Structure formats: structure tokens, C-alpha cells
PDB file of all heavy atoms in Angstrom:
ATOM      1  N   LEU T  19      -2.267   2.080 -11.752  1.00 98.00           N
ATOM      2  CA  LEU T  19      -2.661   0.895 -12.524  1.00 98.00           C
ATOM      3  C   LEU T  19      -3.538  -0.034 -11.694  1.00 98.00           C
ATOM      4  O   LEU T  19      -4.488  -0.630 -12.220  1.00 98.00           O
ATOM      5  CB  LEU T  19      -1.418   0.139 -13.010  1.00 98.00           C
ATOM      6  CG  LEU T  19      -0.531   0.796 -14.060  1.00 98.00           C
ATOM      7  CD1 LEU T  19       0.393  -0.242 -14.691  1.00 98.00           C
ATOM      8  CD2 LEU T  19      -1.343   1.501 -15.141  1.00 98.00           C
ATOM      9  N   LEU T  20      -3.226  -0.156 -10.416  1.00 98.00           N
ATOM     10  CA  LEU T  20      -4.051  -1.015  -9.559  1.00 98.00           C
ATOM     11  C   LEU T  20      -5.502  -0.558  -9.581  1.00 98.00           C
ATOM     12  O   LEU T  20      -6.425  -1.373  -9.728  1.00 98.00           O
ATOM     13  CB  LEU T  20      -3.520  -0.987  -8.130  1.00 98.00           C
ATOM     14  CG  LEU T  20      -2.143  -1.596  -7.880  1.00 98.00           C
ATOM     15  CD1 LEU T  20      -1.733  -1.392  -6.423  1.00 98.00           C
ATOM     16  CD2 LEU T  20      -2.109  -3.080  -8.244  1.00 98.00           C
ATOM     17  N   THR T  21      -5.720   0.737  -9.436  1.00 97.00           N
ATOM     18  CA  THR T  21      -7.076   1.277  -9.451  1.00 97.00           C
ATOM     19  C   THR T  21      -7.781   0.947 -10.760  1.00 97.00           C
ATOM     20  O   THR T  21      -8.963   0.572 -10.778  1.00 97.00           O
ATOM     21  CB  THR T  21      -7.047   2.796  -9.244  1.00 97.00           C
ATOM     22  OG1 THR T  21      -6.452   3.084  -7.982  1.00 97.00           O
ATOM     23  CG2 THR T  21      -8.457   3.389  -9.289  1.00 97.00           C
ATOM     24  N   ARG T  22      -7.053   1.050 -11.855  1.00 97.00           N
ATOM     25  CA  ARG T  22      -7.640   0.798 -13.172  1.00 97.00           C
ATOM     26  C   ARG T  22      -7.888  -0.688 -13.422  1.00 97.00           C
ATOM     27  O   ARG T  22      -8.573  -1.053 -14.378  1.00 97.00           O
ATOM     28  CB  ARG T  22      -6.739   1.388 -14.260  1.00 97.00           C
ATOM     29  CG  ARG T  22      -6.687   2.917 -14.203  1.00 97.00           C
ATOM     30  CD  ARG T  22      -5.569   3.471 -15.063  1.00 97.00           C
ATOM     31  NE  ARG T  22      -5.428   4.914 -14.927  1.00 97.00           N
ATOM     32  CZ  ARG T  22      -6.014   5.827 -15.706  1.00 97.00           C
ATOM     33  NH1 ARG T  22      -6.796   5.414 -16.701  1.00 97.00           N
ATOM     34  NH2 ARG T  22      -5.835   7.104 -15.504  1.00 97.00           N
ATOM     35  N   LEU T  23      -7.328  -1.528 -12.564  1.00 98.00           N
ATOM     36  CA  LEU T  23      -7.576  -2.969 -12.635  1.00 98.00           C
ATOM     37  C   LEU T  23      -8.674  -3.407 -11.672  1.00 98.00           C
ATOM     38  O   LEU T  23      -8.939  -4.593 -11.518  1.00 98.00           O
ATOM     39  CB  LEU T  23      -6.285  -3.735 -12.316  1.00 98.00           C
ATOM     40  CG  LEU T  23      -5.146  -3.606 -13.333  1.00 98.00           C
ATOM     41  CD1 LEU T  23      -3.854  -4.136 -12.736  1.00 98.00           C
ATOM     42  CD2 LEU T  23      -5.488  -4.341 -14.630  1.00 98.00           C
ATOM     43  N   GLY T  24      -9.312  -2.425 -10.999  1.00 97.00           N
ATOM     44  CA  GLY T  24     -10.352  -2.760 -10.039  1.00 97.00           C
ATOM     45  C   GLY T  24      -9.787  -3.279  -8.730  1.00 97.00           C
ATOM     46  O   GLY T  24     -10.451  -4.047  -8.019  1.00 97.00           O
ATOM     47  N   LEU T  25      -8.569  -2.833  -8.386  1.00 98.00           N
ATOM     48  CA  LEU T  25      -7.899  -3.278  -7.168  1.00 98.00           C
ATOM     49  C   LEU T  25      -7.727  -2.090  -6.228  1.00 98.00           C
ATOM     50  O   LEU T  25      -7.205  -1.044  -6.635  1.00 98.00           O
ATOM     51  CB  LEU T  25      -6.539  -3.888  -7.502  1.00 98.00           C
ATOM     52  CG  LEU T  25      -6.560  -5.024  -8.537  1.00 98.00           C
ATOM     53  CD1 LEU T  25      -5.131  -5.446  -8.871  1.00 98.00           C
ATOM     54  CD2 LEU T  25      -7.376  -6.205  -8.030  1.00 98.00           C
ATOM     55  N   ARG T  26      -8.159  -2.240  -4.991  1.00 97.00           N
ATOM     56  CA  ARG T  26      -8.051  -1.166  -4.011  1.00 97.00           C
ATOM     57  C   ARG T  26      -6.802  -1.369  -3.169  1.00 97.00           C
ATOM     58  O   ARG T  26      -6.716  -2.290  -2.352  1.00 97.00           O
ATOM     59  CB  ARG T  26      -9.283  -1.128  -3.118  1.00 97.00           C
ATOM     60  CG  ARG T  26      -9.239  -0.008  -2.084  1.00 97.00           C
ATOM     61  CD  ARG T  26     -10.430  -0.075  -1.152  1.00 97.00           C
ATOM     62  NE  ARG T  26     -10.306   0.892  -0.077  1.00 97.00           N
ATOM     63  CZ  ARG T  26     -11.053   0.896   1.013  1.00 97.00           C
ATOM     64  NH1 ARG T  26     -11.995  -0.026   1.161  1.00 97.00           N
ATOM     65  NH2 ARG T  26     -10.870   1.803   1.947  1.00 97.00           N
ATOM     66  N   ASN T  27      -5.829  -0.508  -3.363  1.00 98.00           N
ATOM     67  CA  ASN T  27      -4.577  -0.582  -2.624  1.00 98.00           C
ATOM     68  C   ASN T  27      -4.823  -0.105  -1.193  1.00 98.00           C
ATOM     69  O   ASN T  27      -5.144   1.063  -0.958  1.00 98.00           O
ATOM     70  CB  ASN T  27      -3.525   0.291  -3.311  1.00 98.00           C
ATOM     71  CG  ASN T  27      -2.194   0.279  -2.608  1.00 98.00           C
ATOM     72  OD1 ASN T  27      -1.980  -0.495  -1.669  1.00 98.00           O
ATOM     73  ND2 ASN T  27      -1.288   1.125  -3.046  1.00 98.00           N
ATOM     74  N   VAL T  28      -4.647  -0.975  -0.209  1.00 97.00           N
ATOM     75  CA  VAL T  28      -4.944  -0.615   1.177  1.00 97.00           C
ATOM     76  C   VAL T  28      -3.944   0.398   1.737  1.00 97.00           C
ATOM     77  O   VAL T  28      -4.179   0.976   2.803  1.00 97.00           O
ATOM     78  CB  VAL T  28      -4.987  -1.866   2.084  1.00 97.00           C
ATOM     79  CG1 VAL T  28      -6.087  -2.813   1.634  1.00 97.00           C
ATOM     80  CG2 VAL T  28      -3.629  -2.569   2.131  1.00 97.00           C
ATOM     81  N   PHE T  29      -2.836   0.629   1.019  1.00 97.00           N
ATOM     82  CA  PHE T  29      -1.848   1.618   1.456  1.00 97.00           C
ATOM     83  C   PHE T  29      -1.873   2.881   0.589  1.00 97.00           C
ATOM     84  O   PHE T  29      -0.943   3.677   0.620  1.00 97.00           O
ATOM     85  CB  PHE T  29      -0.447   1.004   1.443  1.00 97.00           C
ATOM     86  CG  PHE T  29      -0.261  -0.082   2.467  1.00 97.00           C
ATOM     87  CD1 PHE T  29      -0.327  -1.419   2.100  1.00 97.00           C
ATOM     88  CD2 PHE T  29      -0.050   0.228   3.799  1.00 97.00           C
ATOM     89  CE1 PHE T  29      -0.161  -2.432   3.039  1.00 97.00           C
ATOM     90  CE2 PHE T  29       0.112  -0.767   4.749  1.00 97.00           C
ATOM     91  CZ  PHE T  29       0.051  -2.103   4.371  1.00 97.00           C
ATOM     92  N   ALA T  30      -2.948   3.058  -0.157  1.00 96.00           N
ATOM     93  CA  ALA T  30      -3.019   4.202  -1.080  1.00 96.00           C
ATOM     94  C   ALA T  30      -3.024   5.540  -0.358  1.00 96.00           C
ATOM     95  O   ALA T  30      -2.602   6.550  -0.935  1.00 96.00           O
ATOM     96  CB  ALA T  30      -4.268   4.079  -1.952  1.00 96.00           C
ATOM     97  N   ASP T  31      -3.485   5.570   0.880  1.00 95.00           N
ATOM     98  CA  ASP T  31      -3.572   6.836   1.604  1.00 95.00           C
ATOM     99  C   ASP T  31      -2.344   7.122   2.468  1.00 95.00           C
ATOM    100  O   ASP T  31      -2.296   8.145   3.160  1.00 95.00           O
ATOM    101  CB  ASP T  31      -4.821   6.851   2.496  1.00 95.00           C
ATOM    102  CG  ASP T  31      -6.099   6.827   1.681  1.00 95.00           C
ATOM    103  OD1 ASP T  31      -6.087   7.351   0.554  1.00 95.00           O
ATOM    104  OD2 ASP T  31      -7.104   6.272   2.172  1.00 95.00           O
ATOM    105  N   ASP T  32      -1.371   6.237   2.435  1.00 94.00           N
ATOM    106  CA  ASP T  32      -0.160   6.477   3.224  1.00 94.00           C
ATOM    107  C   ASP T  32       0.563   7.706   2.677  1.00 94.00           C
ATOM    108  O   ASP T  32       0.649   7.893   1.451  1.00 94.00           O
ATOM    109  CB  ASP T  32       0.762   5.256   3.140  1.00 94.00           C
ATOM    110  CG  ASP T  32       1.856   5.291   4.194  1.00 94.00           C
ATOM    111  OD1 ASP T  32       2.821   6.089   4.042  1.00 94.00           O
ATOM    112  OD2 ASP T  32       1.746   4.546   5.174  1.00 94.00           O
ATOM    113  N   PRO T  33       1.089   8.578   3.534  1.00 93.00           N
ATOM    114  CA  PRO T  33       1.792   9.771   3.045  1.00 93.00           C
ATOM    115  C   PRO T  33       3.069   9.463   2.274  1.00 93.00           C
ATOM    116  O   PRO T  33       3.543  10.290   1.503  1.00 93.00           O
ATOM    117  CB  PRO T  33       2.090  10.564   4.328  1.00 93.00           C
ATOM    118  CG  PRO T  33       2.010   9.561   5.434  1.00 93.00           C
ATOM    119  CD  PRO T  33       0.985   8.574   5.001  1.00 93.00           C
ATOM    120  N   GLN T  34       3.622   8.278   2.489  1.00 95.00           N
ATOM    121  CA  GLN T  34       4.821   7.876   1.758  1.00 95.00           C
ATOM    122  C   GLN T  34       4.431   7.154   0.471  1.00 95.00           C
ATOM    123  O   GLN T  34       3.491   6.363   0.456  1.00 95.00           O
ATOM    124  CB  GLN T  34       5.694   6.951   2.619  1.00 95.00           C
ATOM    125  CG  GLN T  34       6.151   7.569   3.926  1.00 95.00           C
ATOM    126  CD  GLN T  34       7.055   8.763   3.703  1.00 95.00           C
ATOM    127  OE1 GLN T  34       7.950   8.736   2.851  1.00 95.00           O
ATOM    128  NE2 GLN T  34       6.817   9.829   4.458  1.00 95.00           N
ATOM    129  N   ARG T  35       5.182   7.433  -0.589  1.00 95.00           N
ATOM    130  CA  ARG T  35       4.862   6.782  -1.866  1.00 95.00           C
ATOM    131  C   ARG T  35       5.212   5.295  -1.828  1.00 95.00           C
ATOM    132  O   ARG T  35       4.545   4.486  -2.470  1.00 95.00           O
ATOM    133  CB  ARG T  35       5.597   7.486  -3.010  1.00 95.00           C
ATOM    134  CG  ARG T  35       5.177   8.956  -3.155  1.00 95.00           C
ATOM    135  CD  ARG T  35       5.880   9.651  -4.305  1.00 95.00           C
ATOM    136  NE  ARG T  35       5.453   9.115  -5.575  1.00 95.00           N
ATOM    137  CZ  ARG T  35       6.276   8.686  -6.519  1.00 95.00           C
ATOM    138  NH1 ARG T  35       7.587   8.726  -6.319  1.00 95.00           N
ATOM    139  NH2 ARG T  35       5.807   8.225  -7.654  1.00 95.00           N
ATOM    140  N   TYR T  36       6.260   4.936  -1.106  1.00 97.00           N
ATOM    141  CA  TYR T  36       6.648   3.532  -0.949  1.00 97.00           C
ATOM    142  C   TYR T  36       6.924   3.285   0.539  1.00 97.00           C
ATOM    143  O   TYR T  36       8.073   3.206   0.970  1.00 97.00           O
ATOM    144  CB  TYR T  36       7.872   3.199  -1.796  1.00 97.00           C
ATOM    145  CG  TYR T  36       7.631   3.406  -3.271  1.00 97.00           C
ATOM    146  CD1 TYR T  36       8.088   4.561  -3.916  1.00 97.00           C
ATOM    147  CD2 TYR T  36       6.935   2.468  -4.029  1.00 97.00           C
ATOM    148  CE1 TYR T  36       7.850   4.768  -5.267  1.00 97.00           C
ATOM    149  CE2 TYR T  36       6.698   2.668  -5.378  1.00 97.00           C
ATOM    150  CZ  TYR T  36       7.161   3.813  -5.984  1.00 97.00           C
ATOM    151  OH  TYR T  36       6.919   4.022  -7.328  1.00 97.00           O
ATOM    152  N   PRO T  37       5.869   3.205   1.331  1.00 97.00           N
ATOM    153  CA  PRO T  37       6.056   3.119   2.782  1.00 97.00           C
ATOM    154  C   PRO T  37       6.679   1.800   3.242  1.00 97.00           C
ATOM    155  O   PRO T  37       6.443   0.741   2.653  1.00 97.00           O
ATOM    156  CB  PRO T  37       4.628   3.261   3.321  1.00 97.00           C
ATOM    157  CG  PRO T  37       3.747   2.801   2.204  1.00 97.00           C
ATOM    158  CD  PRO T  37       4.449   3.196   0.945  1.00 97.00           C
ATOM    159  N   ARG T  38       7.465   1.918   4.317  1.00 97.00           N
ATOM    160  CA  ARG T  38       7.910   0.729   5.032  1.00 97.00           C
ATOM    161  C   ARG T  38       6.789   0.293   5.965  1.00 97.00           C
ATOM    162  O   ARG T  38       6.145   1.124   6.584  1.00 97.00           O
ATOM    163  CB  ARG T  38       9.167   1.027   5.846  1.00 97.00           C
ATOM    164  CG  ARG T  38      10.406   1.302   5.006  1.00 97.00           C
ATOM    165  CD  ARG T  38      11.631   1.363   5.896  1.00 97.00           C
ATOM    166  NE  ARG T  38      12.828   1.636   5.127  1.00 97.00           N
ATOM    167  CZ  ARG T  38      14.074   1.532   5.624  1.00 97.00           C
ATOM    168  NH1 ARG T  38      14.252   1.192   6.891  1.00 97.00           N
ATOM    169  NH2 ARG T  38      15.111   1.787   4.863  1.00 97.00           N
ATOM    170  N   VAL T  39       6.583  -1.001   6.055  1.00 97.00           N
ATOM    171  CA  VAL T  39       5.525  -1.517   6.921  1.00 97.00           C
ATOM    172  C   VAL T  39       6.058  -2.717   7.699  1.00 97.00           C
ATOM    173  O   VAL T  39       6.974  -3.416   7.246  1.00 97.00           O
ATOM    174  CB  VAL T  39       4.270  -1.934   6.118  1.00 97.00           C
ATOM    175  CG1 VAL T  39       3.650  -0.749   5.413  1.00 97.00           C
ATOM    176  CG2 VAL T  39       4.607  -3.033   5.113  1.00 97.00           C
ATOM    177  N   GLU T  40       5.486  -2.930   8.855  1.00 96.00           N
ATOM    178  CA  GLU T  40       5.792  -4.131   9.614  1.00 96.00           C
ATOM    179  C   GLU T  40       4.970  -5.289   9.054  1.00 96.00           C
ATOM    180  O   GLU T  40       3.838  -5.104   8.603  1.00 96.00           O
ATOM    181  CB  GLU T  40       5.474  -3.926  11.093  1.00 96.00           C
ATOM    182  CG  GLU T  40       6.307  -2.843  11.764  1.00 96.00           C
ATOM    183  CD  GLU T  40       7.784  -3.168  11.779  1.00 96.00           C
ATOM    184  OE1 GLU T  40       8.128  -4.379  11.830  1.00 96.00           O
ATOM    185  OE2 GLU T  40       8.596  -2.221  11.724  1.00 96.00           O
ATOM    186  N   LEU T  41       5.549  -6.465   9.100  1.00 95.00           N
ATOM    187  CA  LEU T  41       4.844  -7.627   8.567  1.00 95.00           C
ATOM    188  C   LEU T  41       3.525  -7.851   9.299  1.00 95.00           C
ATOM    189  O   LEU T  41       2.521  -8.216   8.674  1.00 95.00           O
ATOM    190  CB  LEU T  41       5.729  -8.868   8.670  1.00 95.00           C
ATOM    191  CG  LEU T  41       5.173 -10.158   8.046  1.00 95.00           C
ATOM    192  CD1 LEU T  41       4.798  -9.949   6.592  1.00 95.00           C
ATOM    193  CD2 LEU T  41       6.186 -11.286   8.199  1.00 95.00           C
ATOM    194  N   ASP T  42       3.502  -7.599  10.604  1.00 95.00           N
ATOM    195  CA  ASP T  42       2.253  -7.761  11.353  1.00 95.00           C
ATOM    196  C   ASP T  42       1.173  -6.794  10.844  1.00 95.00           C
ATOM    197  O   ASP T  42      -0.011  -7.144  10.803  1.00 95.00           O
ATOM    198  CB  ASP T  42       2.491  -7.521  12.844  1.00 95.00           C
ATOM    199  CG  ASP T  42       3.235  -8.682  13.502  1.00 95.00           C
ATOM    200  OD1 ASP T  42       3.288  -9.764  12.883  1.00 95.00           O
ATOM    201  OD2 ASP T  42       3.758  -8.500  14.616  1.00 95.00           O
ATOM    202  N   ASP T  43       1.590  -5.583  10.468  1.00 93.00           N
ATOM    203  CA  ASP T  43       0.634  -4.615   9.929  1.00 93.00           C
ATOM    204  C   ASP T  43       0.110  -5.081   8.585  1.00 93.00           C
ATOM    205  O   ASP T  43      -1.079  -4.955   8.274  1.00 93.00           O
ATOM    206  CB  ASP T  43       1.303  -3.238   9.807  1.00 93.00           C
ATOM    207  CG  ASP T  43       0.324  -2.163   9.339  1.00 93.00           C
ATOM    208  OD1 ASP T  43      -0.844  -2.199   9.764  1.00 93.00           O
ATOM    209  OD2 ASP T  43       0.726  -1.298   8.539  1.00 93.00           O
ATOM    210  N   LEU T  44       0.999  -5.630   7.786  1.00 94.00           N
ATOM    211  CA  LEU T  44       0.595  -6.152   6.481  1.00 94.00           C
ATOM    212  C   LEU T  44      -0.404  -7.293   6.657  1.00 94.00           C
ATOM    213  O   LEU T  44      -1.419  -7.368   5.951  1.00 94.00           O
ATOM    214  CB  LEU T  44       1.839  -6.624   5.722  1.00 94.00           C
ATOM    215  CG  LEU T  44       1.706  -6.948   4.241  1.00 94.00           C
ATOM    216  CD1 LEU T  44       1.153  -5.778   3.448  1.00 94.00           C
ATOM    217  CD2 LEU T  44       3.060  -7.368   3.684  1.00 94.00           C
ATOM    218  N   ARG T  45      -0.135  -8.146   7.609  1.00 94.00           N
ATOM    219  CA  ARG T  45      -1.025  -9.288   7.858  1.00 94.00           C
ATOM    220  C   ARG T  45      -2.370  -8.846   8.436  1.00 94.00           C
ATOM    221  O   ARG T  45      -3.389  -9.531   8.283  1.00 94.00           O
ATOM    222  CB  ARG T  45      -0.352 -10.263   8.821  1.00 94.00           C
ATOM    223  CG  ARG T  45       0.824 -11.038   8.226  1.00 94.00           C
ATOM    224  CD  ARG T  45       1.561 -11.795   9.318  1.00 94.00           C
ATOM    225  NE  ARG T  45       2.600 -12.676   8.774  1.00 94.00           N
ATOM    226  CZ  ARG T  45       3.547 -13.254   9.518  1.00 94.00           C
ATOM    227  NH1 ARG T  45       3.579 -13.028  10.826  1.00 94.00           N
ATOM    228  NH2 ARG T  45       4.451 -14.034   8.956  1.00 94.00           N
TER     229      ARG T  45
END
């Protein structure tokens, strides 16, 4: 849905479907 809204998910290429991330990485 994000793609269809013109939004590029920066975690779309992660091998995990719902990856855990560090807050520093998110920032």
C-alpha cells in the first residue's frame, strides 16, 4: 500500500518482513 501511495519504504529491501531496528538506525 505504501508503494501505491507514492511512498518509498526505506526498509523494503530488508530480508525480514517486520525487521527489528535500532532507534539510531531509524534516525
